[in-house]
Amino acid sequence: MFKKTLLATAILASLTVHAAQARTFQVGMGDPMDSDQGALAQRFAELVEQYSDGEMTVDLFPGGQLGPETGMIQDTRIGSLDMAFIGVGNLTPYAPKLGALTMPYSLRSHADAVKATTGPLAQRWNEIAKEEAGVKIISWLYSNFRYLTNSDRPVRNLEDLQGLKVRVPQNEMMLATYEAWGANPISMSWPEVFTALQQGVVDGQDNPYIVNYTMKFHEVQDYLTEVHHQYSLQPLVMGVRTYDALSEEERAIIDRAGIDAQLYALQFQLTGAVTAREGMEAEGVEVSTLEDEDEWIRIAQEEVWPAFYDKIGGQEAFEEFQSILGY
């Protein structure tokens, strides 16, 4: 009996320690679960649980349940939220040098986006994010180019764009870019966009195919133009305070799951974008390409880039970045 009591006590103690080590992480998301954010988030959650043998779990809060990105980035910085998906453009107010990734036409292909967020360049951005914004980049979500949608007219050239009211995030560079092209950009937080489009407060907005489709913008937008001015990168970030408080083993699990989920999400995006475009066209959206995109690029390079060199670490640093990408 004595031995059985000791054994039971030992088992109970072991279970108590195990339970104390268990950890659940909360992840905030702006997009719905059936988006590319949802694809990466679900894969990340599965991998964290798998790699930790169930000792670490992830709870997902999609659709802006935890507030807009501007609020979630603050919450991750101070540690009241474990992780969140934050568009690079919404990180730049805290880490201006990340603006190199949002300069119009700084990334012009999927290959550029991958090269810019892996290897030495990924390390560069992560150091900037940690030092300036107080967050660590756990994983990069590749959401494709931000294609322009609107309810007024097909946009096939700069003349078609003139005066169009376009919603943009609260990002100075994106405002300046659309102004340089002759549009009328209006800064607006993400949760307000659908209603603003529906009520005609703005004519259009720009986002990747999967976001446009899962947000059901085809219900309030008739036209889409494939403009390649900005590749939408939405890193999954964790506050440095939260990350540093983890054990070495926990950090290794989070890092590994982040990289593996990133690779999974890239493949999901490449195939999902095709499905999303087909879905939007089936709903009646007219898709156009630009007749004069070289002119859009010229204006961006000559009018927008020089105005922001100092804010993103200087012209030399940006040109070095572009040189690495082959431009």
Side-chain angles (χ1 to χ4, degrees):
M1 176 65 72
F2 180 68
K3 289 183 178 180
K4 289 183 179 180
T5 302
L6 283 178
L7 179 60
T9 302
I11 292 173
L12 179 61
S14 175
L15 291 174
T16 301
V17 171
H18 183 83
Q21 292 174 340
R23 176 72 185 270
T24 297
F25 298 90
Q26 294 187 332
V27 176
M29 303 163 51
D31 294 345
M33 195 59 75
D34 60 351
S35 65
D36 48 359
Q37 270 190 16
L40 191 153
Q42 290 181 80
R43 185 59 176 159
F44 176 73
E46 292 168 0
L47 292 173
V48 166
E49 186 168 0
Q50 176 186 331
Y51 295 159
S52 68
D53 293 327
E55 292 186 5
M56 297 164 63
T57 57
V58 176
D59 285 345
L60 306 175
F61 296 86
Q65 292 180 49
L66 303 184
E69 289 187 10
T70 49
M72 290 194 293
I73 182 61
Q74 288 282 29
D75 290 341
T76 57
R77 294 175 75 212
I78 65 177
S80 60
L81 175 62
D82 297 311
M83 287 175 268
F85 284 92
I86 307 293
V88 168
N90 285 325
L91 274 176
T92 54
Y94 306 97
K97 292 178 184 177
L98 291 178
L101 294 165
T102 65
M103 280 280 234
Y105 292 104
S106 65
L107 303 175
R108 304 182 201 179
S109 69
H110 294 298
D112 284 350
V114 173
K115 189 170 185 178
T117 53
T118 54
L121 284 173
Q123 294 176 18
R124 176 193 292 188
W125 309 131
N126 218 337
E127 287 305 313
I128 290 171
K130 288 191 289 187
E131 292 173 8
E132 297 185 358
V135 298
K136 174 180 169 58
I137 297 170
I138 302 299
S139 188
W140 288 94
L141 175 61
Y142 305 101
S143 290
N144 212 315
F145 289 99
R146 297 180 67 103
Y147 294 136
L148 175 67
T149 71
N150 84 92
S151 58
D152 190 71
R153 56 187 180 267
V155 174
R156 301 189 180 96
N157 51 53
L158 276 172
E159 184 178 350
D160 294 334
L161 184 70
Q162 303 308 296
L164 203 69
K165 293 181 292 184
V166 181
R167 175 269 172 182
V168 297
Q170 296 165 323
N171 180 276
E172 185 181 3
M173 189 181 297
M174 294 183 71
L175 282 166
T177 299
Y178 272 104
E179 286 175 352
W181 288 333
N184 178 18
I186 298 173
S187 181
M188 184 180 298
S189 66
W190 183 234
E192 302 172 19
V193 176
F194 189 93
T195 301
L197 293 170
Q198 190 175 45
Q199 296 178 349
V201 176
V202 290
D203 301 312
Q205 58 85 51
D206 64 0
N207 263 296
Y209 271 125
I210 295 176
V211 176
N212 288 327
Y213 189 53
T214 58
M215 290 299 295
K216 301 185 184 303
F217 286 151
H218 49 271
E219 296 180 357
V220 290
Q221 302 278 266
D222 298 317
Y223 308 100
L224 181 147
T225 306
E226 293 189 342
V227 184
H228 303 91
H229 65 298
Q230 187 175 108
Y231 196 100
S232 181
L233 294 167
Q234 303 180 68
L236 173 63
V237 302
M238 173 181 273
V240 170
R241 294 180 183 178
T242 304
Y243 184 81
D244 287 348
L246 301 177
S247 68
E248 184 176 344
E249 181 182 3
E250 289 171 328
R251 290 196 295 269
I253 289 170
I254 291 292
D255 291 345
R256 180 184 174 192
I259 292 296
D260 290 351
Q262 178 175 322
L263 296 174
Y264 170 83
L266 176 60
Q267 182 59 44
F268 175 90
Q269 185 276 127
L270 292 173
T271 57
V274 174
T275 302
R277 171 177 172 159
E278 292 173 349
M280 293 188 73
E281 289 181 310
E283 294 290 340
V285 174
E286 180 181 329
V287 176
S288 301
T289 55
L290 289 177
E291 304 164 342
D292 59 348
E293 193 155 18
D294 285 346
E295 183 65 8
W296 296 56
I297 295 173
R298 183 193 66 77
I299 292 172
Q301 291 177 331
E302 295 180 5
E303 298 185 22
V304 181
W305 286 14
F308 288 91
Y309 284 143
D310 290 344
K311 296 184 179 181
I312 63 170
Q315 181 175 353
E316 183 177 349
F318 181 71
E319 289 178 347
E320 178 194 2
F321 168 50
Q322 288 290 282
S323 176
I324 294 172
L325 296 181
Y327 298 113

